[in-house]
Amino acid sequence: MQPETFGFFDKVYEVAKQIPYGRVTSYGAIAKYLGAARSARMVGYAMNGSHGKDVPAHRVVNRKGLLTGKHHFDGTNLMQQLLESEGIKVIDNQIQNFEKVFWEPSNKL
């Protein structure tokens, strides 16, 4: 990866660390906040590499509230378990009341 990719990843991690307990955001919302609206996939790559960086990657989901990154967590349902421990209801890999628990970085930071 290019050095600028690592800089972008660090910016992604800083935004993700701001997501409040019991809330979620999307890959695209983080990308948009960072001025790279078409880089949702790169945000996903950053989340995949966030293990050991004290980043709450479980709070980042796709734009429809689906747990698309769950296979990057140890254990079969760890992402869902972490979200549910924060009071977020998940059924069939879908966050319930998504609009209510969604955190928009552009409005909050």
Side-chain angles (χ1 to χ4, degrees):
M1 283 191 208
Q2 301 295 320
E4 60 269 12
T5 301
F6 290 113
F8 181 77
F9 281 19
D10 289 336
K11 290 176 185 175
V12 169
Y13 300 149
E14 288 307 309
V15 174
K17 288 177 182 180
Q18 304 300 314
I19 304 168
Y21 181 91
R23 304 291 297 277
V24 296
T25 196
S26 68
Y27 305 106
I30 292 175
K32 181 180 172 186
Y33 173 76
L34 293 174
R38 296 182 165 269
S39 298
R41 188 165 289 174
M42 285 299 290
V43 172
Y45 292 145
M47 291 296 101
N48 296 345
S50 67
H51 303 293
K53 296 186 181 352
D54 196 31
V55 174
H58 65 284
R59 295 181 189 149
V60 184
V61 298
N62 84 354
R63 64 188 171 90
K64 295 180 180 178
L66 291 170
L67 310 188
T68 53
K70 72 177 192 162
H71 57 280
H72 292 284
F73 287 81
D74 292 333
T76 47
N77 284 324
L78 182 59
M79 184 177 188
Q80 179 172 335
Q81 291 168 352
L82 290 167
L83 290 167
E84 288 176 339
S85 75
E86 296 184 16
I88 296 173
K89 188 172 184 178
V90 179
I91 298 173
D92 294 330
N93 296 314
Q94 172 78 51
I95 292 176
Q96 305 301 296
N97 300 312
F98 183 55
E99 301 80 22
K100 186 176 179 181
V101 297
F102 187 79
W103 180 79
E104 177 60 64
S106 296
N107 296 344
K108 306 296 182 186
L109 297 178

mmCIF file of all heavy atoms in Angstrom, residues 61-104:
data_model
loop_
_atom_site.group_PDB
_atom_site.id
_atom_site.type_symbol
_atom_site.label_atom_id
_atom_site.label_comp_id
_atom_site.label_asym_id
_atom_site.label_seq_id
_atom_site.Cartn_x
_atom_site.Cartn_y
_atom_site.Cartn_z
ATOM 1 N N VAL A 61 -20.971 -0.031 9.862
ATOM 2 C CA VAL A 61 -21.757 -0.983 9.078
ATOM 3 C C VAL A 61 -22.007 -0.407 7.685
ATOM 4 O O VAL A 61 -21.601 0.721 7.401
ATOM 5 C CB VAL A 61 -23.098 -1.295 9.788
ATOM 6 C CG1 VAL A 61 -22.843 -1.955 11.141
ATOM 7 C CG2 VAL A 61 -23.941 -0.043 9.980
ATOM 8 N N ASN A 62 -22.700 -1.143 6.846
ATOM 9 C CA ASN A 62 -22.969 -0.580 5.524
ATOM 10 C C ASN A 62 -24.141 0.410 5.590
ATOM 11 O O ASN A 62 -24.776 0.581 6.625
ATOM 12 C CB ASN A 62 -23.159 -1.686 4.474
ATOM 13 C CG ASN A 62 -24.553 -2.258 4.397
ATOM 14 O OD1 ASN A 62 -25.444 -1.945 5.199
ATOM 15 N ND2 ASN A 62 -24.767 -3.113 3.419
ATOM 16 N N ARG A 63 -24.420 1.056 4.476
ATOM 17 C CA ARG A 63 -25.407 2.151 4.454
ATOM 18 C C ARG A 63 -26.833 1.710 4.753
ATOM 19 O O ARG A 63 -27.706 2.527 5.014
ATOM 20 C CB ARG A 63 -25.348 2.890 3.125
ATOM 21 C CG ARG A 63 -25.730 2.053 1.935
ATOM 22 C CD ARG A 63 -25.458 2.788 0.617
ATOM 23 N NE ARG A 63 -25.621 1.912 -0.513
ATOM 24 C CZ ARG A 63 -26.743 1.737 -1.165
ATOM 25 N NH1 ARG A 63 -27.820 2.394 -0.804
ATOM 26 N NH2 ARG A 63 -26.801 0.924 -2.194
ATOM 27 N N LYS A 64 -27.069 0.394 4.719
ATOM 28 C CA LYS A 64 -28.402 -0.129 5.012
ATOM 29 C C LYS A 64 -28.486 -0.719 6.422
ATOM 30 O O LYS A 64 -29.509 -1.261 6.798
ATOM 31 C CB LYS A 64 -28.784 -1.186 3.980
ATOM 32 C CG LYS A 64 -28.915 -0.616 2.588
ATOM 33 C CD LYS A 64 -29.299 -1.678 1.605
ATOM 34 C CE LYS A 64 -29.422 -1.083 0.218
ATOM 35 N NZ LYS A 64 -29.756 -2.100 -0.781
ATOM 36 N N GLY A 65 -27.384 -0.628 7.173
ATOM 37 C CA GLY A 65 -27.379 -1.164 8.527
ATOM 38 C C GLY A 65 -27.064 -2.641 8.610
ATOM 39 O O GLY A 65 -27.321 -3.279 9.623
ATOM 40 N N LEU A 66 -26.484 -3.186 7.561
ATOM 41 C CA LEU A 66 -26.111 -4.598 7.555
ATOM 42 C C LEU A 66 -24.700 -4.785 8.109
ATOM 43 O O LEU A 66 -23.816 -3.967 7.856
ATOM 44 C CB LEU A 66 -26.171 -5.169 6.138
ATOM 45 C CG LEU A 66 -27.562 -5.290 5.539
ATOM 46 C CD1 LEU A 66 -27.484 -5.623 4.053
ATOM 47 C CD2 LEU A 66 -28.376 -6.333 6.276
ATOM 48 N N LEU A 67 -24.496 -5.876 8.829
ATOM 49 C CA LEU A 67 -23.187 -6.180 9.414
ATOM 50 C C LEU A 67 -22.290 -6.843 8.367
ATOM 51 O O LEU A 67 -21.912 -7.997 8.479
ATOM 52 C CB LEU A 67 -23.343 -7.097 10.627
ATOM 53 C CG LEU A 67 -24.366 -6.705 11.695
ATOM 54 C CD1 LEU A 67 -24.236 -7.614 12.899
ATOM 55 C CD2 LEU A 67 -24.221 -5.260 12.096
ATOM 56 N N THR A 68 -21.911 -6.088 7.358
ATOM 57 C CA THR A 68 -21.146 -6.651 6.245
ATOM 58 C C THR A 68 -19.705 -6.966 6.620
ATOM 59 O O THR A 68 -19.060 -7.745 5.933
ATOM 60 C CB THR A 68 -21.163 -5.688 5.037
ATOM 61 O OG1 THR A 68 -20.734 -4.401 5.474
ATOM 62 C CG2 THR A 68 -22.550 -5.601 4.447
ATOM 63 N N GLY A 69 -19.192 -6.400 7.703
ATOM 64 C CA GLY A 69 -17.812 -6.669 8.099
ATOM 65 C C GLY A 69 -17.671 -7.735 9.153
ATOM 66 O O GLY A 69 -16.584 -7.969 9.663
ATOM 67 N N LYS A 70 -18.750 -8.436 9.457
ATOM 68 C CA LYS A 70 -18.748 -9.366 10.585
ATOM 69 C C LYS A 70 -17.754 -10.508 10.434
ATOM 70 O O LYS A 70 -17.255 -11.026 11.420
ATOM 71 C CB LYS A 70 -20.140 -9.907 10.858
ATOM 72 C CG LYS A 70 -20.629 -10.900 9.832
ATOM 73 C CD LYS A 70 -21.971 -11.434 10.228
ATOM 74 C CE LYS A 70 -22.309 -12.621 9.356
ATOM 75 N NZ LYS A 70 -23.357 -13.420 9.929
ATOM 76 N N HIS A 71 -17.437 -10.904 9.210
ATOM 77 C CA HIS A 71 -16.512 -12.023 9.018
ATOM 78 C C HIS A 71 -15.067 -11.655 9.361
ATOM 79 O O HIS A 71 -14.209 -12.512 9.384
ATOM 80 C CB HIS A 71 -16.629 -12.583 7.594
ATOM 81 C CG HIS A 71 -16.387 -11.579 6.535
ATOM 82 N ND1 HIS A 71 -17.351 -10.665 6.134
ATOM 83 C CD2 HIS A 71 -15.296 -11.313 5.793
ATOM 84 C CE1 HIS A 71 -16.844 -9.897 5.188
ATOM 85 N NE2 HIS A 71 -15.610 -10.265 4.969
ATOM 86 N N HIS A 72 -14.800 -10.388 9.649
ATOM 87 C CA HIS A 72 -13.459 -9.957 10.045
ATOM 88 C C HIS A 72 -13.281 -9.972 11.562
ATOM 89 O O HIS A 72 -12.229 -9.582 12.067
ATOM 90 C CB HIS A 72 -13.153 -8.558 9.496
ATOM 91 C CG HIS A 72 -13.025 -8.563 8.012
ATOM 92 N ND1 HIS A 72 -11.911 -9.033 7.352
ATOM 93 C CD2 HIS A 72 -13.887 -8.188 7.044
ATOM 94 C CE1 HIS A 72 -12.086 -8.932 6.051
ATOM 95 N NE2 HIS A 72 -13.299 -8.424 5.837
ATOM 96 N N PHE A 73 -14.291 -10.391 12.289
ATOM 97 C CA PHE A 73 -14.230 -10.477 13.741
ATOM 98 C C PHE A 73 -14.028 -11.932 14.146
ATOM 99 O O PHE A 73 -14.579 -12.825 13.520
ATOM 100 C CB PHE A 73 -15.530 -9.940 14.376
ATOM 101 C CG PHE A 73 -15.654 -8.458 14.305
ATOM 102 C CD1 PHE A 73 -16.098 -7.833 13.148
ATOM 103 C CD2 PHE A 73 -15.318 -7.666 15.392
ATOM 104 C CE1 PHE A 73 -16.205 -6.461 13.075
ATOM 105 C CE2 PHE A 73 -15.419 -6.295 15.326
ATOM 106 C CZ PHE A 73 -15.861 -5.688 14.172
ATOM 107 N N ASP A 74 -13.255 -12.143 15.210
ATOM 108 C CA ASP A 74 -13.080 -13.500 15.724
ATOM 109 C C ASP A 74 -14.420 -14.000 16.248
ATOM 110 O O ASP A 74 -15.164 -13.258 16.868
ATOM 111 C CB ASP A 74 -12.050 -13.513 16.855
ATOM 112 C CG ASP A 74 -10.646 -13.208 16.368
ATOM 113 O OD1 ASP A 74 -10.361 -13.487 15.183
ATOM 114 O OD2 ASP A 74 -9.837 -12.692 17.158
ATOM 115 N N GLY A 75 -14.708 -15.255 16.000
ATOM 116 C CA GLY A 75 -15.988 -15.813 16.444
ATOM 117 C C GLY A 75 -17.064 -15.523 15.422
ATOM 118 O O GLY A 75 -16.977 -14.571 14.657
ATOM 119 N N THR A 76 -18.077 -16.330 15.415
ATOM 120 C CA THR A 76 -19.098 -16.216 14.379
ATOM 121 C C THR A 76 -20.013 -15.014 14.546
ATOM 122 O O THR A 76 -20.441 -14.433 13.568
ATOM 123 C CB THR A 76 -19.961 -17.492 14.323
ATOM 124 O OG1 THR A 76 -20.343 -17.838 15.646
ATOM 125 C CG2 THR A 76 -19.216 -18.634 13.697
ATOM 126 N N ASN A 77 -20.314 -14.619 15.769
ATOM 127 C CA ASN A 77 -21.259 -13.523 15.975
ATOM 128 C C ASN A 77 -20.695 -12.400 16.838
ATOM 129 O O ASN A 77 -21.461 -11.671 17.465
ATOM 130 C CB ASN A 77 -22.550 -14.041 16.618
ATOM 131 C CG ASN A 77 -23.430 -14.771 15.624
ATOM 132 O OD1 ASN A 77 -23.488 -14.389 14.459
ATOM 133 N ND2 ASN A 77 -24.095 -15.799 16.067
ATOM 134 N N LEU A 78 -19.372 -12.244 16.882
ATOM 135 C CA LEU A 78 -18.777 -11.266 17.783
ATOM 136 C C LEU A 78 -19.244 -9.841 17.486
ATOM 137 O O LEU A 78 -19.584 -9.099 18.402
ATOM 138 C CB LEU A 78 -17.245 -11.339 17.748
ATOM 139 C CG LEU A 78 -16.538 -10.381 18.698
ATOM 140 C CD1 LEU A 78 -16.960 -10.630 20.147
ATOM 141 C CD2 LEU A 78 -15.033 -10.495 18.550
ATOM 142 N N MET A 79 -19.309 -9.467 16.215
ATOM 143 C CA MET A 79 -19.744 -8.107 15.876
ATOM 144 C C MET A 79 -21.152 -7.858 16.409
ATOM 145 O O MET A 79 -21.423 -6.837 17.038
ATOM 146 C CB MET A 79 -19.679 -7.880 14.367
ATOM 147 C CG MET A 79 -20.014 -6.480 13.940
ATOM 148 S SD MET A 79 -19.826 -6.285 12.145
ATOM 149 C CE MET A 79 -20.047 -4.528 11.988
ATOM 150 N N GLN A 80 -22.053 -8.803 16.172
ATOM 151 C CA GLN A 80 -23.427 -8.671 16.655
ATOM 152 C C GLN A 80 -23.461 -8.635 18.182
ATOM 153 O O GLN A 80 -24.172 -7.820 18.772
ATOM 154 C CB GLN A 80 -24.283 -9.820 16.137
ATOM 155 C CG GLN A 80 -25.722 -9.754 16.625
ATOM 156 C CD GLN A 80 -26.616 -10.784 15.951
ATOM 157 O OE1 GLN A 80 -26.332 -11.231 14.846
ATOM 158 N NE2 GLN A 80 -27.690 -11.160 16.617
ATOM 159 N N GLN A 81 -22.686 -9.485 18.825
ATOM 160 C CA GLN A 81 -22.663 -9.524 20.286
ATOM 161 C C GLN A 81 -22.174 -8.190 20.869
ATOM 162 O O GLN A 81 -22.727 -7.700 21.854
ATOM 163 C CB GLN A 81 -21.783 -10.671 20.775
ATOM 164 C CG GLN A 81 -22.381 -12.037 20.493
ATOM 165 C CD GLN A 81 -21.382 -13.171 20.711
ATOM 166 O OE1 GLN A 81 -20.200 -12.954 20.928
ATOM 167 N NE2 GLN A 81 -21.877 -14.396 20.625
ATOM 168 N N LEU A 82 -21.148 -7.608 20.254
ATOM 169 C CA LEU A 82 -20.641 -6.321 20.728
ATOM 170 C C LEU A 82 -21.705 -5.234 20.586
ATOM 171 O O LEU A 82 -21.908 -4.427 21.493
ATOM 172 C CB LEU A 82 -19.366 -5.930 19.963
ATOM 173 C CG LEU A 82 -18.129 -6.769 20.269
ATOM 174 C CD1 LEU A 82 -17.033 -6.498 19.246
ATOM 175 C CD2 LEU A 82 -17.642 -6.504 21.682
ATOM 176 N N LEU A 83 -22.387 -5.217 19.462
ATOM 177 C CA LEU A 83 -23.444 -4.228 19.249
ATOM 178 C C LEU A 83 -24.588 -4.433 20.235
ATOM 179 O O LEU A 83 -25.082 -3.480 20.837
ATOM 180 C CB LEU A 83 -23.949 -4.281 17.807
ATOM 181 C CG LEU A 83 -22.965 -3.768 16.757
ATOM 182 C CD1 LEU A 83 -23.430 -4.148 15.356
ATOM 183 C CD2 LEU A 83 -22.775 -2.270 16.880
ATOM 184 N N GLU A 84 -24.994 -5.675 20.416
ATOM 185 C CA GLU A 84 -26.104 -5.957 21.336
ATOM 186 C C GLU A 84 -25.726 -5.614 22.773
ATOM 187 O O GLU A 84 -26.583 -5.184 23.550
ATOM 188 C CB GLU A 84 -26.530 -7.412 21.204
ATOM 189 C CG GLU A 84 -27.252 -7.667 19.892
ATOM 190 C CD GLU A 84 -27.633 -9.115 19.646
ATOM 191 O OE1 GLU A 84 -27.027 -10.026 20.263
ATOM 192 O OE2 GLU A 84 -28.534 -9.346 18.825
ATOM 193 N N SER A 85 -24.446 -5.766 23.122
ATOM 194 C CA SER A 85 -24.023 -5.407 24.477
ATOM 195 C C SER A 85 -24.123 -3.904 24.712
ATOM 196 O O SER A 85 -24.146 -3.448 25.850
ATOM 197 C CB SER A 85 -22.590 -5.885 24.739
ATOM 198 O OG SER A 85 -21.645 -5.068 24.077
ATOM 199 N N GLU A 86 -24.221 -3.142 23.615
ATOM 200 C CA GLU A 86 -24.375 -1.689 23.694
ATOM 201 C C GLU A 86 -25.844 -1.275 23.536
ATOM 202 O O GLU A 86 -26.143 -0.095 23.413
ATOM 203 C CB GLU A 86 -23.510 -1.004 22.637
ATOM 204 C CG GLU A 86 -22.025 -1.215 22.848
ATOM 205 C CD GLU A 86 -21.164 -0.465 21.853
ATOM 206 O OE1 GLU A 86 -21.659 0.462 21.173
ATOM 207 O OE2 GLU A 86 -19.968 -0.797 21.761
ATOM 208 N N GLY A 87 -26.735 -2.257 23.489
ATOM 209 C CA GLY A 87 -28.159 -1.958 23.404
ATOM 210 C C GLY A 87 -28.706 -1.849 21.992
ATOM 211 O O GLY A 87 -29.841 -1.428 21.793
ATOM 212 N N ILE A 88 -27.924 -2.209 21.008
ATOM 213 C CA ILE A 88 -28.376 -2.152 19.614
ATOM 214 C C ILE A 88 -28.971 -3.509 19.240
ATOM 215 O O ILE A 88 -28.339 -4.545 19.411
ATOM 216 C CB ILE A 88 -27.205 -1.789 18.671
ATOM 217 C CG1 ILE A 88 -26.704 -0.379 18.998
ATOM 218 C CG2 ILE A 88 -27.640 -1.898 17.212
ATOM 219 C CD1 ILE A 88 -25.464 0.029 18.253
ATOM 220 N N LYS A 89 -30.187 -3.494 18.738
ATOM 221 C CA LYS A 89 -30.877 -4.724 18.372
ATOM 222 C C LYS A 89 -30.512 -5.113 16.944
ATOM 223 O O LYS A 89 -30.585 -4.290 16.027
ATOM 224 C CB LYS A 89 -32.391 -4.543 18.502
ATOM 225 C CG LYS A 89 -33.169 -5.818 18.328
ATOM 226 C CD LYS A 89 -34.637 -5.621 18.659
ATOM 227 C CE LYS A 89 -35.361 -6.938 18.558
ATOM 228 N NZ LYS A 89 -36.776 -6.823 18.903
ATOM 229 N N VAL A 90 -30.117 -6.379 16.770
ATOM 230 C CA VAL A 90 -29.730 -6.902 15.459
ATOM 231 C C VAL A 90 -30.530 -8.167 15.189
ATOM 232 O O VAL A 90 -30.568 -9.079 16.010
ATOM 233 C CB VAL A 90 -28.215 -7.233 15.425
ATOM 234 C CG1 VAL A 90 -27.826 -7.794 14.063
ATOM 235 C CG2 VAL A 90 -27.377 -6.012 15.762
ATOM 236 N N ILE A 91 -31.176 -8.208 14.031
ATOM 237 C CA ILE A 91 -31.910 -9.398 13.591
ATOM 238 C C ILE A 91 -31.470 -9.723 12.174
ATOM 239 O O ILE A 91 -31.511 -8.856 11.293
ATOM 240 C CB ILE A 91 -33.444 -9.171 13.633
ATOM 241 C CG1 ILE A 91 -33.904 -8.881 15.059
ATOM 242 C CG2 ILE A 91 -34.176 -10.389 13.064
ATOM 243 C CD1 ILE A 91 -35.368 -8.491 15.173
ATOM 244 N N ASP A 92 -31.041 -10.963 11.948
ATOM 245 C CA ASP A 92 -30.579 -11.410 10.624
ATOM 246 C C ASP A 92 -29.524 -10.471 10.049
ATOM 247 O O ASP A 92 -29.618 -10.038 8.882
ATOM 248 C CB ASP A 92 -31.756 -11.559 9.654
ATOM 249 C CG ASP A 92 -32.696 -12.679 10.054
ATOM 250 O OD1 ASP A 92 -32.233 -13.664 10.668
ATOM 251 O OD2 ASP A 92 -33.899 -12.557 9.758
ATOM 252 N N ASN A 93 -28.529 -10.125 10.854
ATOM 253 C CA ASN A 93 -27.414 -9.254 10.449
ATOM 254 C C ASN A 93 -27.846 -7.836 10.084
ATOM 255 O O ASN A 93 -27.110 -7.106 9.430
ATOM 256 C CB ASN A 93 -26.631 -9.862 9.278
ATOM 257 C CG ASN A 93 -25.969 -11.153 9.656
ATOM 258 O OD1 ASN A 93 -25.345 -11.254 10.710
ATOM 259 N ND2 ASN A 93 -26.115 -12.161 8.820
ATOM 260 N N GLN A 94 -29.039 -7.439 10.489
ATOM 261 C CA GLN A 94 -29.587 -6.119 10.164
ATOM 262 C C GLN A 94 -29.850 -5.362 11.459
ATOM 263 O O GLN A 94 -30.546 -5.859 12.345
ATOM 264 C CB GLN A 94 -30.892 -6.285 9.390
ATOM 265 C CG GLN A 94 -31.664 -5.007 9.148
ATOM 266 C CD GLN A 94 -31.080 -4.200 8.022
ATOM 267 O OE1 GLN A 94 -30.858 -4.731 6.940
ATOM 268 N NE2 GLN A 94 -30.824 -2.934 8.257
ATOM 269 N N ILE A 95 -29.305 -4.157 11.560
ATOM 270 C CA ILE A 95 -29.562 -3.324 12.729
ATOM 271 C C ILE A 95 -31.004 -2.839 12.674
ATOM 272 O O ILE A 95 -31.465 -2.338 11.650
ATOM 273 C CB ILE A 95 -28.586 -2.132 12.782
ATOM 274 C CG1 ILE A 95 -27.187 -2.677 13.060
ATOM 275 C CG2 ILE A 95 -29.007 -1.112 13.832
ATOM 276 C CD1 ILE A 95 -26.114 -1.644 13.056
ATOM 277 N N GLN A 96 -31.716 -3.012 13.773
ATOM 278 C CA GLN A 96 -33.097 -2.556 13.874
ATOM 279 C C GLN A 96 -33.098 -1.088 14.308
ATOM 280 O O GLN A 96 -32.199 -0.651 15.019
ATOM 281 C CB GLN A 96 -33.852 -3.418 14.885
ATOM 282 C CG GLN A 96 -33.782 -4.916 14.568
ATOM 283 C CD GLN A 96 -34.357 -5.243 13.199
ATOM 284 O OE1 GLN A 96 -35.534 -5.059 12.943
ATOM 285 N NE2 GLN A 96 -33.503 -5.733 12.305
ATOM 286 N N ASN A 97 -34.094 -0.337 13.882
ATOM 287 C CA ASN A 97 -34.172 1.103 14.177
ATOM 288 C C ASN A 97 -32.884 1.808 13.766
ATOM 289 O O ASN A 97 -32.351 2.638 14.499
ATOM 290 C CB ASN A 97 -34.458 1.340 15.671
ATOM 291 C CG ASN A 97 -35.763 0.726 16.105
ATOM 292 O OD1 ASN A 97 -36.786 0.898 15.444
ATOM 293 N ND2 ASN A 97 -35.739 -0.020 17.193
ATOM 294 N N PHE A 98 -32.399 1.468 12.580
ATOM 295 C CA PHE A 98 -31.114 1.974 12.092
ATOM 296 C C PHE A 98 -31.041 3.499 12.121
ATOM 297 O O PHE A 98 -30.048 4.074 12.557
ATOM 298 C CB PHE A 98 -30.863 1.439 10.675
ATOM 299 C CG PHE A 98 -29.535 1.823 10.094
ATOM 300 C CD1 PHE A 98 -28.355 1.547 10.766
ATOM 301 C CD2 PHE A 98 -29.462 2.446 8.856
ATOM 302 C CE1 PHE A 98 -27.123 1.892 10.220
ATOM 303 C CE2 PHE A 98 -28.245 2.785 8.296
ATOM 304 C CZ PHE A 98 -27.077 2.511 8.978
ATOM 305 N N GLU A 99 -32.099 4.160 11.667
ATOM 306 C CA GLU A 99 -32.095 5.631 11.630
ATOM 307 C C GLU A 99 -31.939 6.222 13.035
ATOM 308 O O GLU A 99 -31.313 7.258 13.209
ATOM 309 C CB GLU A 99 -33.379 6.171 10.989
ATOM 310 C CG GLU A 99 -33.628 5.706 9.567
ATOM 311 C CD GLU A 99 -34.218 4.286 9.490
ATOM 312 O OE1 GLU A 99 -34.816 3.807 10.485
ATOM 313 O OE2 GLU A 99 -34.045 3.643 8.437
ATOM 314 N N LYS A 100 -32.498 5.544 14.016
ATOM 315 C CA LYS A 100 -32.464 6.039 15.394
ATOM 316 C C LYS A 100 -31.070 5.934 16.019
ATOM 317 O O LYS A 100 -30.675 6.783 16.810
ATOM 318 C CB LYS A 100 -33.481 5.258 16.233
ATOM 319 C CG LYS A 100 -33.651 5.774 17.633
ATOM 320 C CD LYS A 100 -34.739 5.023 18.367
ATOM 321 C CE LYS A 100 -34.895 5.537 19.778
ATOM 322 N NZ LYS A 100 -35.923 4.812 20.513
ATOM 323 N N VAL A 101 -30.315 4.886 15.679
ATOM 324 C CA VAL A 101 -28.989 4.679 16.275
ATOM 325 C C VAL A 101 -27.854 5.165 15.372
ATOM 326 O O VAL A 101 -26.692 5.108 15.750
ATOM 327 C CB VAL A 101 -28.751 3.201 16.657
ATOM 328 C CG1 VAL A 101 -29.746 2.756 17.719
ATOM 329 C CG2 VAL A 101 -28.780 2.290 15.454
ATOM 330 N N PHE A 102 -28.214 5.675 14.179
ATOM 331 C CA PHE A 102 -27.187 6.123 13.235
ATOM 332 C C PHE A 102 -26.548 7.422 13.709
ATOM 333 O O PHE A 102 -27.226 8.356 14.121
ATOM 334 C CB PHE A 102 -27.793 6.326 11.842
ATOM 335 C CG PHE A 102 -26.757 6.620 10.795
ATOM 336 C CD1 PHE A 102 -26.016 5.588 10.255
ATOM 337 C CD2 PHE A 102 -26.522 7.911 10.372
ATOM 338 C CE1 PHE A 102 -25.041 5.843 9.286
ATOM 339 C CE2 PHE A 102 -25.552 8.175 9.402
ATOM 340 C CZ PHE A 102 -24.811 7.140 8.867
ATOM 341 N N TRP A 103 -25.232 7.462 13.645
ATOM 342 C CA TRP A 103 -24.433 8.628 14.023
ATOM 343 C C TRP A 103 -23.785 9.190 12.770
ATOM 344 O O TRP A 103 -23.057 8.484 12.081
ATOM 345 C CB TRP A 103 -23.391 8.206 15.046
ATOM 346 C CG TRP A 103 -22.492 9.281 15.544
ATOM 347 C CD1 TRP A 103 -22.795 10.224 16.485
ATOM 348 C CD2 TRP A 103 -21.138 9.534 15.167
ATOM 349 N NE1 TRP A 103 -21.709 11.035 16.702
ATOM 350 C CE2 TRP A 103 -20.679 10.624 15.905
ATOM 351 C CE3 TRP A 103 -20.273 8.911 14.262
ATOM 352 C CZ2 TRP A 103 -19.394 11.126 15.776
ATOM 353 C CZ3 TRP A 103 -18.984 9.412 14.127
ATOM 354 C CH2 TRP A 103 -18.561 10.510 14.878
ATOM 355 N N GLU A 104 -24.087 10.435 12.451
ATOM 356 C CA GLU A 104 -23.570 11.081 11.225
ATOM 357 C C GLU A 104 -22.352 11.933 11.580
ATOM 358 O O GLU A 104 -22.496 12.980 12.210
ATOM 359 C CB GLU A 104 -24.668 11.950 10.612
ATOM 360 C CG GLU A 104 -24.244 12.722 9.381
ATOM 361 C CD GLU A 104 -23.787 11.837 8.249
ATOM 362 O OE1 GLU A 104 -24.620 11.054 7.734
ATOM 363 O OE2 GLU A 104 -22.604 11.910 7.869
#
